[in-house]
Amino acid sequence: MSELTPVQKKPSNIEVDRRQSEVRITWADGYKSVYTLDYLRQICPCAVCNEIRNNQDPLRLLTPDRVVEKGELRVERPVEMVGNYALQFFWADGHNTGIYSFDFLRSKSP
C-alpha cells in the first residue's frame, strides 16, 4: 500500500467482537477492515515480538512459551484506546505492550 492519507488512517467505527474473535474497523474513507484476534496477536508491534520475528539466526529455536498460537483477550480488560491514535490489546497470555497505531492497523489490513 502506498503512503496513507490522514483520512485513511482515521477510524470512524471500531468494534471488538470477542464472540467472533475479531476486530472490525470502518475507516473515515469508508474502507472496512476485519482482523482476527489471532492475526493481531501474531503481528504485535512491540519490541519483544519484533525481535522474535526479525531474528534471522537459522540456529535459533523458539521455546514453547515464545510461540504464539491464539489471540485471546482478557475478559476483564480486553482493549483500550491510546489517545486518539492507537489501540492497546490486553491478551490472555499476559502480553499487553504492543501499541497498535491506526496507521499500523490500516497498513496491515488483511
Side-chain angles (χ1 to χ4, degrees):
M1 180 179 276
S2 60
E3 185 70 26
L4 296 169
T5 66
V7 170
Q8 290 174 309
K9 297 186 275 189
K10 182 177 181 187
S12 60
N13 188 53
I14 301 169
E15 299 174 28
V16 178
D17 187 339
R18 290 197 344 247
R19 223 177 249 152
Q20 295 291 321
S21 295
E22 63 187 23
V23 174
R24 296 181 289 274
I25 301 177
T26 303
W27 302 95
D29 66 352
Y31 187 82
K32 295 181 183 198
S33 300
V34 178
Y35 308 87
T36 66
L37 295 179
D38 289 348
Y39 175 68
L40 289 172
R41 182 63 184 91
Q42 290 167 1
I43 64 167
C44 176
C46 82
V48 172
C49 291
N50 276 327
E51 177 64 28
I52 291 169
R53 277 192 300 273
N54 294 328
N55 185 344
Q56 299 301 315
D57 181 356
L59 300 177
R60 176 183 61 97
L61 297 175
L62 287 178
T63 59
D65 60 325
R66 302 286 257 182
V67 177
V68 177
E69 292 182 8
K70 297 209 53 93
E72 295 178 18
L73 295 172
R74 288 175 45 189
V75 174
E76 69 280 1
R77 185 179 180 196
V79 64
E80 289 182 0
M81 287 283 295
V82 177
N84 61 357
Y85 71 95
L87 296 174
Q88 181 178 13
F89 294 94
F90 295 86
W91 302 106
D93 65 7
H95 189 74
N96 65 358
T97 57
I99 303 296
Y100 295 72
S101 72
F102 295 133
D103 186 1
F104 175 80
L105 286 169
R106 181 66 189 258
S107 71
K108 297 291 189 182
S109 182

